[in-house]
């Protein structure tokens, strides 16, 4: 049993509030336990310079934590005048993961920026951001498809993410902050609705891990992420059907 | 009648949710119409270098907007690598205003940082931040007073803020974004519970204003701000009584 | 009586030396007591990106202090690698104030940058900058009007500025540095030649102020600023007549 | 067969030149194919502020590429004024990986900084940096142990790294730049001499990967990395024996 | 004959106004032709970290140009967020040159910062800054000697500077901006009152120069700089005698 | 006799390895004693904005030291977020020196960037960079001439550089780091193959120098630099002949 009473293979409760922001083309407030992230999707009718003239779109992400998202206040990166390494690593990860399920040709020369702002942190902020950003992106995509009459839905599969780790020799799913601090091995996994891996990032700074441990962690992640994807589908309602259709088409 | 149906002397509905963040010593989500700001108060047992050894505390503020708080996405200041002039101006204003009702000697050598993060903007973000930050600060002060056994409550009066402006020759209270864009004169006013002025910042870039217009704007602000202060007192419950006590003591 | 022997309603002596710089299109050295500011106006035949294609001009300002303008040396902002909040606040104020008396359509798609460099500071550097920058701008405008044959003089009124404050309960005009440090309330006022307000920025961080005090301060400012405007007119000679003509035309 | 004639399970030739720099406490020039990295280890008798007073040491890394390490010249990060996200991600990875085999207590309150400067790049610069930095660190550790009479050798195991990826459906070991550009899946693996995983970072931005593919990639990495570790041992000579001794002691 | 009627060996008129700034420990406004520089000397009772505990003082310089010191407006380095290469090169030169005639032991553990701010530029701003900064420094030194009862005057010799260059094959003294733009060879020379060289910086980017040309330029510089030093002595009055005394003592 | 046994007029051994980098259009590893610099030349078919449309090319340089090029580790300028004054001064010098022997018209509208990265420092890094960068540039020029069929070889003369200095009253050639630290006078000289001066930068911060000392230093530099140029010619082989041809043509 874990400190908050969960089983080792049990994720925290998830709550996804769609259309949380009145300005953004897509938005959610996602809560996984006490971790809360606002994800907004912004559509712009232009692509970055390195993508120009290829007839393809672009998806990118930015990540930030409010100073008091954590138990000790963090100095703002805007005040420091630069982004930290952790922030850059996370926002590169989010963007890369989302692009893996986007059909950039179908999107056309426009870009979607996913802003993931952590308003309260309790472990798993990067995986929660990915899961939430996917939903915000899907809402924005649906808006584009309807307003611009795209002939393909530009999302090819669902995408969810969770962390796993080894605490006192036991592989556990979805670590909270307290658990994360004690874990010897920490792994973030991103998977598609069809159960393929998009990102596997495992780190054993405290203690290297064996192949068997790796296998156990991946198995936990697989089950947990499919549960996250079911929550995404519920939150998306009819849009979920469009993703499933596009996903089916992409595979046939 | 205004575009959203309000009378010229009518502020938008206010909603103050206290203890919105589980980590901060004080926190609120404040909503004034569609403007939503998270204010957290962080207490630290140290003061900035220029205040050291004086036996006095310090109160300061930081302000930021999420990129998609606005209808068009703004680039993050952390990504630009510097704070803009508007941000600095606003956070200096918030800090200065709050300090005007704090008894820094009573606070002792500790500091309170108020983080005001606008998660959705629709005009009046700086005045809403001041009104919300006051409540977050009061909650944090109450915690300090109880935990450290201070012998004076370090807040000497309530503090609220609203904007006023002239739209099509008519002085109006609490402009939303659309109104703010059309206003010829724009003024932010900060006042205490006892009806004194802490800040008066009026700007007539579009059209200079006469003394009579100035008088009409100040009158609107006075009434509106007292209403905001009544909302603060409701949200604070028993803490409001402590402020009133301290305020009474400070004046006798 | 004040520490330098002035009456409460008496400003310090003003001296405006025009054409102080041989390169700039307009320039002055303005001295208000021991506060000395070099103001230069630079005309460029282009406008910032956000103003392009509107057929209108732009006026902006930058403000800086030499490191030893003050009694203790200040580190250069160029060495720190960023502009401070105070600098940004002041240069935004100067630009906004000047634009309030400029007919941007009459100016046409060109921009004027006013550089206000404080070479010696003794209180009132922002109000002195505004008063001096107006004169430098007027000289540059006159040059543009003559060289480009504009059919309207693009300045619609005079513009002057002074500070006022409350020292030991007494409202006083034009505070020097020593007075400014002791003042409980500090207010900067910008007014036009026709006696309208362009900016009113009053701050009571040390002690909130009542409506009566505010009224007394505004009255002092009104009289003092008209005196500053008379000095501007003397310094400008024949150009002053052109401003009066344009001002009269703009009102009829 | 691959474009350079290698088998899918064949790494490029490795060459490790020790003591390449006369100033550093440890240094190598490591070449893996045409990828060349200078790794230097700097020992300092102090630790970063967050480690002070714990009686433990610290190991950290910095990574950079010369502007013309690549076929197209890259602008220097020093000229841009900030480190890019890729650089930060890589140097965090190198530091974390090295620390996993360091006994920080045995090291004592001193720090080792590994500088990895890529002077020519042809794929695999981060894995080559880890493999080379390990050798430079071991040389520096040996120097510390001898000069300060430490009673334990502070390295607990060997550490090597290689990339693997899927090119045209085929899992391949040690991708060069051309292969890396074409790979659908790209994975960097760091392992110890005892065959445990320290980092597994797999990315399928172009195409998600199945569990079987992941298994095949990990198997390739395991074999290849043990070969890299044999090269490290050869280059280290007698120091290799000390690592083996410490490694053995740590496990018994 | 040169464009402004001077002989090839004739410097422009020099004017040195001492005590130009009421706050600084030493200050001048120096004018060499139309080049005008304000030099202030700031004394602080501390030295930079790398000089601590050596019982010696430090002298350093900063250099800047007002944006409109030149015929085309330059962007402020504070706005750009960094110092340019030219600025750094010049301020390093000024500091180094001044230190060559300062007895840092006699100065004791305190530092003098020379701020050289060019308010109008017409060629020779760095040499004018050196000549002016020497005078400001001497005034500040005299103040220190008197107030702290130093037993040696910490300046060991006079120090002046001028530029020389080759225009249309002719070596010329003290180039103005127009001449500087046309010069094939440009050289800045700093010399002591006793005729020794402190800095010789000659550049032939446009055309390499022969040994004979170099000799002719040095001869011109020698004569011109001694004239500058006579002007310094006149401006310094009795302080000049103290420098001469210290200079004599240092040589016997 | 000097600490490393050299005569006062003897430079350290020089070794120039051409084509050290497989990507760059020209490259060398140059070693002068223990000072080692990688110089790469990058050709781009564009010029900086200020050179556009003039039908001329541009040559520029960047300089950097690896953190552990020196006996004490230096913080990276990329990590500090800005280039230091020394770096900027050196890279401006290298670029200026190289341009003095380039026929920018013959080069055409393209630019060459010389990156000089010091991988090990032992005095004379800037002069070694100039000597090495010249060779890298010549190789790149030869490539341009052949590939673009230029009708003139765009280099008009050889260019070499060495330092000289006064150690214990003795003028010496090519100071190593230990000597440089003790030298009272330090001078960097850049000369052409025809024996003309391109840069003379002498500094006597520790002790001003007389005209006779200056003459002795220049004489040493002249002889030493011609020796460096002979080494360049050997390293360049047939390309050296093309430079001689162009140099002869430029003079007739």
């Amino acid at each position: 049993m874990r400190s908050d009473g969960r089983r080792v293979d049990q994720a925290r409760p998830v709550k996804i509030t769609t259309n949380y922001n009145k300005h953004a083309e897509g938005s959610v407030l996602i809560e996984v336990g006490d971790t809360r992230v606002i994800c907004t999707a912004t559509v712009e009718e232009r692509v970055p310079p390195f993508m120009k003239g290829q007839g393809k779109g672009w998806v990118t992400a930015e990540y930030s934590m409010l100073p008091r998202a954590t138990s000790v206040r963090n100095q703002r990166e805007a005040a420091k005048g630069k982004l930290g390494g952790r922030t850059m690593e996370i926002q590169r990860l989010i963007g890369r993961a989302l692009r893996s399920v986007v059909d950039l040709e179908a999107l056309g020369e426009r870009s979607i920026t996913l802003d993931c702002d952590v308003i309260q942190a309790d472990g798993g902020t990067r995986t929660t951001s990915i899961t939430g950003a996917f939903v915000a992106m899907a809402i924005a995509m649906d808006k584009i498809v309807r307003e611009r009459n795209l002939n393909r839905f530009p999302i090819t599969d669902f995408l969810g993410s969770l962390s796993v780790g080894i605490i006192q020799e036991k592989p556990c799913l979805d670590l909270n902050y307290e658990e994360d601090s004690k874990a010897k091995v920490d792994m973030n996994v991103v998977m598609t609705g069809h159960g393929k891996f998009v990102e596997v990032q495992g780190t054993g700074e405290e203690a290297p891990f064996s192949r068997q441990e790796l296998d156990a962690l991946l198995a936990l992640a697989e089950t947990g992420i499919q549960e996250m994807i079911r929550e995404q589908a519920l939150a998306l309602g009819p849009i979920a059907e469009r993703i499933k259709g596009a996903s089916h088409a992409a595979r046939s």
Side-chain angles (χ1 to χ4, degrees), chain A residues 146-157:
Chain A
R146 286 185 288 107
E147 291 180 358
R148 315 263 192 257
N149 280 312
L150 301 196
N151 52 14
R152 281 207 308 281
F153 197 86
I155 294 186
T156 61
D157 206 343

Side-chain angles (χ1 to χ4, degrees), chain A residues 101 152-153 155-158 193-194 240-252:
Chain A
V101 291
R152 281 207 308 281
F153 197 86
I155 294 186
T156 61
D157 206 343
F158 279 87
H194 282 77
E241 295 312 307
R242 268 161 234 147
I243 297 171
K244 282 173 199 165
S247 170
H248 190 261
R251 269 154 200 80
S252 59

Side-chain angles (χ1 to χ4, degrees), chain A residues 30-230:
Chain A
I30 180 167
E31 300 168 77
V32 174
D34 280 344
T35 291
R36 297 207 294 242
V37 185
I38 296 174
C39 306
T40 58
T42 295
V43 178
E44 287 165 306
E45 294 293 318
R46 59 164 191 263
V47 288
F50 68 91
M51 291 294 291
K52 260 185 199 151
Q54 304 181 30
K56 293 162 61 177
W58 190 242
V59 171
T60 189
E62 297 194 4
Y63 168 95
S64 185
M65 292 217 280
L66 295 200
R68 202 54 199 281
T70 47
S71 64
V72 170
R73 185 179 185 272
N74 287 296
Q75 203 195 341
R76 285 173 198 272
E77 294 181 320
K80 288 189 216 169
K82 60 180 175 184
L83 297 174
R86 181 184 171 274
T87 295
M88 291 218 229
E89 201 170 305
I90 293 175
Q91 61 194 22
R92 283 160 55 91
L93 166 66
I94 302 171
R96 207 163 59 217
L98 292 172
R99 284 192 299 273
S100 75
V101 291
V102 173
D103 178 343
L104 297 173
E105 271 94 2
L107 176 56
E109 282 211 24
R110 51 183 65 89
S111 65
I112 304 186
T113 302
L114 278 305
D115 285 293
C116 301
D117 287 89
V118 180
I119 61 176
Q120 192 171 273
D122 188 23
T125 64
R126 78 186 72 186
T127 52
T128 303
S129 294
I130 291 169
T131 304
F134 176 82
V135 180
M137 178 177 78
I139 296 170
M141 284 291 189
D142 184 61
K143 199 159 185 269
I144 296 172
V145 169
R146 286 185 288 107
E147 291 180 358
R148 315 263 192 257
N149 280 312
L150 301 196
N151 52 14
R152 281 207 308 281
F153 197 86
I155 294 186
T156 61
D157 206 343
F158 279 87
L159 185 87
S161 179
L162 273 177
S163 76
V164 284
I166 300 180
I167 306 166
Q168 294 171 321
E169 318 288 305
K170 283 231 184 68
C172 293
L173 181 66
D174 184 27
L175 313 190
N176 64 25
Y177 179 75
E178 187 199 333
E179 293 175 325
D180 194 45
S181 317
K182 294 184 307 192
K184 292 286 174 190
V185 178
D186 177 31
M187 184 175 295
N188 293 297
V189 183
V190 185
M191 297 186 81
T192 64
H194 282 77
K196 291 214 166 179
F197 294 96
V198 167
E199 290 277 340
V200 174
Q201 297 200 340
T203 285
E205 180 177 343
E206 299 300 317
F209 49 100
S210 67
R211 184 59 198 272
Q212 293 95 296
E213 289 172 318
L214 176 55
D215 289 347
L217 291 170
L218 292 172
L220 274 181
E222 282 190 65
T223 323
I225 291 172
Q226 293 310 317
E227 178 56 33
M228 300 301 280
I229 287 175
R230 275 189 291 278

